[in-house]
Amino acid sequence: MASWFRRSRRAQEERRPRQSERTQRTPDESDPFDAAERLRLAHRDTGEPGLLEAAREATLRARDHYGPDDPRHAASLSGLCMIYRQLWERSRSRQALDSSVAFGRQAVEVSPPGDELMARHMSSLATSLQELFETTRDVEAIDESIALSRGALDLTPPGDPEHAGLESNLANALLRRTAQHPDPALQREAVEHARAALRDTPVGDPLLASRHINLGGALLGLGGAGSVSQLLEALTMYEQGLRGLPPNHPARPGIERTIAHLRQARRTFGF
């Protein structure tokens, strides 16, 4: 999600000693979490597989570097939750998905009292639980994901730079539940949260493409409750989202198939 750990970096800057006090440490040695986070964000922006493995190794080192009372320990665990989820997306290895959920649970459990990153840790775990639900159809997993997403959103005031990402995550959880267990009220709520997330995501944000795609999926999730105008809007959202994805993004084939189906439906039914 966008702007991960931005505030924690400001806190790190306040705690960090002046240059004259540092001796000859390199940036990676003095702040392994920051180095790991740069690699993770570089992979997010480029989709390069090698950067993901480098981020995994660096984040494992960061986890071991910080004591359990340091918020960066929980933040590193949360980073591993995201990284192993991305490994799952590429490999479909159940071991990677189980590791993602386990690291996410650890991050939430060890996050110290008053940790301002708790909402982020909850949201990351919620996303991995969504993937677990898609694999196992375990309703408890998606219900836990929805509860975590609601809790994370409650902890984050409107206007916070991460509010849009939390709106998007809740929309995804609701959408996945209603796809298997239709509920018109939850389907409409998913559209509301997806629309709010897109509205609050600025042009140029690396996650703007995914926000377009999420809204497209939420509009399609309305099914028979949706209108022709909503189906056309869904097509537009998918097309805009596809243009913003990196060429090697693993989601591209599925998005392209959805666009092809919607275009065929438009030609067939003349809307």
Side-chain angles (χ1 to χ4, degrees):
M1 66 177 40
S3 307
W4 262 81
F5 310 117
R6 187 173 297 164
R7 287 176 291 179
S8 69
R9 287 177 180 169
R10 289 202 298 267
Q12 291 167 25
E13 290 296 330
E14 293 171 1
R15 290 193 297 267
R16 193 172 294 165
R18 293 187 296 271
Q19 181 65 41
S20 60
E21 298 169 344
R22 289 190 199 172
T23 69
Q24 298 299 315
R25 293 178 298 176
T26 66
D28 285 4
E29 292 170 339
S30 63
D31 195 347
F33 173 76
D34 189 62
E37 184 65 359
R38 287 198 301 271
L39 287 167
R40 188 187 68 78
L41 293 175
H43 170 263
R44 182 200 68 184
D45 295 342
T46 66
E48 287 295 329
L51 287 172
L52 184 60
E53 177 58 23
R56 186 188 71 84
E57 294 175 355
T59 309
L60 285 169
R61 290 193 296 270
R63 176 201 61 179
D64 296 338
H65 179 82
Y66 302 104
D69 294 333
D70 190 319
R72 287 170 293 184
H73 179 73
S76 297
L77 289 167
S78 194
L80 288 167
C81 174
M82 288 185 285
I83 288 168
Y84 274 89
R85 184 170 64 249
Q86 291 167 319
L87 289 170
W88 149 256
E89 291 170 354
R90 289 189 175 277
S91 69
R92 293 299 165 182
S93 162
R94 179 61 189 273
Q95 183 178 1
L97 179 57
D98 289 344
S99 295
S100 176
V101 172
F103 281 125
R105 291 197 189 283
Q106 291 174 40
V108 172
E109 290 169 0
V110 306
S111 184
D115 187 353
E116 64 179 7
L117 301 180
M118 174 59 91
R120 299 168 178 177
H121 306 336
M122 294 168 67
S123 183
S124 185
L125 172 57
T127 302
S128 295
L129 287 167
Q130 291 178 40
E131 295 296 332
L132 184 64
F133 170 72
E134 288 294 313
T135 302
T136 65
R137 296 299 183 228
D138 181 357
V139 176
E140 289 185 2
I142 195 63
D143 284 346
E144 183 182 1
S145 176
I146 291 171
L148 284 163
S149 297
R150 291 193 193 282
L153 197 57
D154 287 343
L155 289 173
T156 309
D160 186 286
E162 291 167 19
H163 196 269
L166 298 175
E167 292 266 20
S168 182
N169 209 27
L170 177 54
N172 286 340
L174 292 166
L175 181 61
R176 288 181 169 183
R177 195 190 199 290
T178 57
Q180 298 298 319
H181 306 277
D183 182 321
L186 291 182
Q187 289 166 336
R188 288 191 294 271
E189 185 184 356
V191 171
E192 291 171 3
H193 287 296
R195 199 179 294 284
L198 177 59
R199 180 195 63 219
D200 295 338
T201 302
V203 174
D205 191 298
L207 293 176
L208 184 62
S210 68
R211 302 281 156 76
H212 280 110
I213 293 166
N214 290 349
L215 178 54
L219 289 163
L220 282 186
L222 290 172
S227 64
V228 169
S229 64
Q230 287 169 327
L231 289 175
L232 290 173
E233 183 184 7
L235 174 59
T236 300
M237 292 298 102
Y238 276 115
E239 290 172 336
Q240 291 181 354
L242 183 65
R243 287 195 291 270
L245 289 180
N248 58 349
H249 195 284
R252 286 189 70 93
I255 301 303
E256 290 168 347
R257 287 192 295 271
T258 300
I259 290 173
H261 291 323
L262 286 171
R263 288 174 176 171
Q264 181 61 45
R266 183 177 61 184
R267 288 192 295 269
T268 300
F269 298 106
F271 62 81

